[in-house]
Amino acid sequence: MRGRVATTLVTGASAAAREAAIAKRLAALLPEQAAAAEGRIAVILEGLASGSSPIPELPPVRLVRLAPGCMCCAGNLVLRVTLNRLLRQGPERLFIGVANSEHLDQLRSWLQQAPYDQLLALEPDLRT
């Protein structure tokens, strides 16, 4: 991995709103020659898909869905394993869609602790 991965936590009232916000950001990030940048962007979404997702199925995007549940409490181990696997693939950008923003500050704090403090560059949250 080259440097710290730019990371955005995405919250919102519905899965559709969170995914639409991520898709909008991805549209600005993806190059026209998308196939040349495989795995450049990682997306972790909490919860089940609500039908068709607006997030593009292109080689630069690696999309992982986690079962619904608090990512900093009950889902901590699952998030940690998923995050570690994705980071080993060397993405340049990471989006984490969070269903319940109640513990968002705790999740952000957890991501700022070792070892993630050296791996992630947390950006301002995206609230939909």
Side-chain angles (χ1 to χ4, degrees):
M1 188 165 38
R2 291 179 289 258
R4 295 185 342 162
V5 178
T7 303
T8 303
L9 301 178
V10 183
T11 64
S14 69
R18 291 187 301 277
E19 290 185 36
I22 293 171
K24 185 176 180 181
R25 289 279 178 99
L26 289 177
L29 292 172
L30 292 173
E32 288 184 27
Q33 304 293 332
E38 187 167 340
R40 230 181 55 159
I41 300 168
V43 179
I44 299 174
L45 296 174
E46 176 189 2
L48 304 173
S50 60
S52 63
S53 175
I55 296 176
E57 293 184 25
L58 297 172
V61 179
R62 294 204 190 280
L63 174 63
V64 177
R65 290 190 184 274
L66 302 179
C70 182
M71 288 186 178
C72 70
C73 297
N76 183 290
L77 179 61
V78 173
L79 175 59
R80 186 179 298 269
V81 169
T82 301
L83 189 53
N84 291 345
R85 285 180 179 163
L86 286 173
L87 290 174
R88 272 190 245 123
Q89 296 171 11
E92 295 174 7
R93 193 82 177 81
L94 172 65
F95 293 93
I96 302 176
V98 182
N100 184 346
S101 63
E102 183 177 322
H103 295 163
L104 191 62
D105 291 336
Q106 290 166 321
L107 177 60
R108 178 173 272 286
S109 176
W110 177 76
L111 292 172
Q112 291 174 323
Q113 296 174 10
Y116 301 111
D117 61 334
Q118 300 299 311
L119 302 172
L120 304 176
L122 290 176
E123 297 185 342
D125 300 339
L126 176 58
R127 298 176 191 259
T128 63

